[in-house]
Amino acid sequence: MPAMALPAQDKARLTVRSARPEDFEMPLEGFATWITPVDRFFVRTHLYNPAVDTAAWRLEVRGLVGAPLTLDLAALKALPRVELAGVLECAGNGRSFYQPGIPGMQWKYGAVGNARWAGARLADVLKKAGVKTGAVEVLFDGADVPIGTMPDFRRSLPLAKALHPDTLLAYEMNGAPLTPSHGFPLRLVAPGWAGDSWVKWVTGIEVLDREYDGFFMKGAYRYPVRPVAPGTALDPAADMRPVTALRPKSVIASPVEGEALPSGPVTIRGAAWSGEHPVAKVEVSADSGRTWKPARLGAERAPYAWRLWESEWTPPGAASYVLMARATDARGETQPFVQDWNPSGYLWNVVPQVRVEAGSAKPGRPPETASAIPEFPPQAKSACLGCHGTDMIAGQRLTRAQWERELDKMGRWGAVVKPEDRSGLLDFLVRSFGR
Ligand SMILES: Nc1nc2c(c(=O)[nH]1)N[C@H]1C(S)=C(S)[C@@H](COP(=O)(O)O)O[C@H]1N2
Ligand SMILES: [Mo]
């Protein structure tokens, strides 16, 4: 599938996991700066970016409020402006590391970024409207619209998070208006919470007396209430609850997996964050987790931002080493060595491991391998490629049973597969993108 019309700049600075809709990942080099530039900031969209007419744009506030409101951008900008630096991380970041594999965007480490967000407090807007008693959740709708029978992306926040003084209706990212991919002209900023709550292109706010019951609340972005064995069938209502805050996590940005290092000192470096709690320490191990040493934390910090860190290491000899990093937050919560399984592969925060070869005569990073996407058969083209490209499919590694479930889901969302084409299509998917 030809890559869509992305500016050349974006392609070099982000890994395109899906060109249409836009799903772009930040490469590991992005963890070298405290603030992530907008052209390096990951993008996650379920539908397509809406076209926005700024002059006609309005925000509607309704539901359990004393006075429903219609606000234009000027009215929002007239409210006190609040700025904060904070991490936005997709709940599915790291999904590709789950074993057995889980369908969905196969993010590695880079569905995350740290930006400066500015806007009005959501609480100020809600105060203007007057939240009535009985209010429990606040629902956000973006201007993006689904294709076919796909569900719309709508999410609700518990009232306490909605009224928190750091929860923003942001119109700026890194000192400039939001770009179309990041929600222009207005998005929710839910500091410390996973990206699914950061609704983009917000045009509607509705105060509800219950959690919203749409697909993206009840069918997605839920996490088991207790650890369960992989593959366990879970009842979304009884056994799961919505994803909320991020957990402590660190990423090793350099060296990289498989890197050959010269003899002599090396700087191990990366970034660490932890949702609503500041990072208290990052420790690094260069001997497969036997011993740990505190890393030096960067001076730049803010309550919801990531912290850069580094640690000097001199390999004791020419050998193969496994480097690890472990962040602990102010509550004392730290990263696990084994991830609890969950059906959609959310909230991956296992201690990262990077194998390096020290004392090499030929230092360097292994070449990046990009596998070619095979030609799609006609029935796949008509069934799948109306809504998204081949890249989204080619990123998956699924069993036949998982591909069957994906086909069923896509069928419910409007994909048309003729009964006589189904098994041929499945054969192609399993052969090309199986495990
Ligand atoms: N309207 C709308 N808002 C959305 C989404 C979407 O598809 N539609 N994706 C969400 C998800 S899952 C994430 S992780 C973040 C990503 O924000 P970004 O693209 O600015 O990085 O936006 C969230 N807000
Ligand atoms: Mo996400």
Side-chain angles (χ1 to χ4, degrees), residues 194-215:
D196 45 290
S197 287
W198 297 49
V199 178
K200 303 195 271 193
W201 309 293
V202 173
T203 49
I205 296 179
E206 189 178 343
V207 180
L208 302 177
D209 62 1
R210 73 210 120 79
E211 190 182 291
Y212 177 60
D213 59 7
F215 174 81

Side-chain angles (χ1 to χ4, degrees), residues 5-77:
L6 280 182
Q9 173 78 348
D10 287 2
K11 269 194 244 172
R13 306 265 288 163
L14 293 163
T15 303
V16 177
R17 300 227 168 272
S18 163
R20 173 183 64 99
E22 292 184 351
D23 291 293
F24 310 150
E25 177 160 351
M26 181 186 79
L28 282 174
E29 297 90 81
F31 291 106
T33 60
W34 190 59
I35 292 294
T36 314
V38 174
D39 69 354
R40 263 253 141 115
F41 207 97
F42 89 99
V43 175
R44 170 70 176 124
T45 37
H46 294 77
L47 313 169
Y48 297 121
N49 298 358
V52 175
D53 171 355
T54 321
W57 183 91
R58 295 290 182 277
L59 172 68
E60 305 277 348
V61 185
R62 53 202 151 76
L64 281 175
V65 292
L69 301 174
T70 302
L71 302 172
D72 60 13
L73 269 180
L76 277 159
K77 289 183 180 169

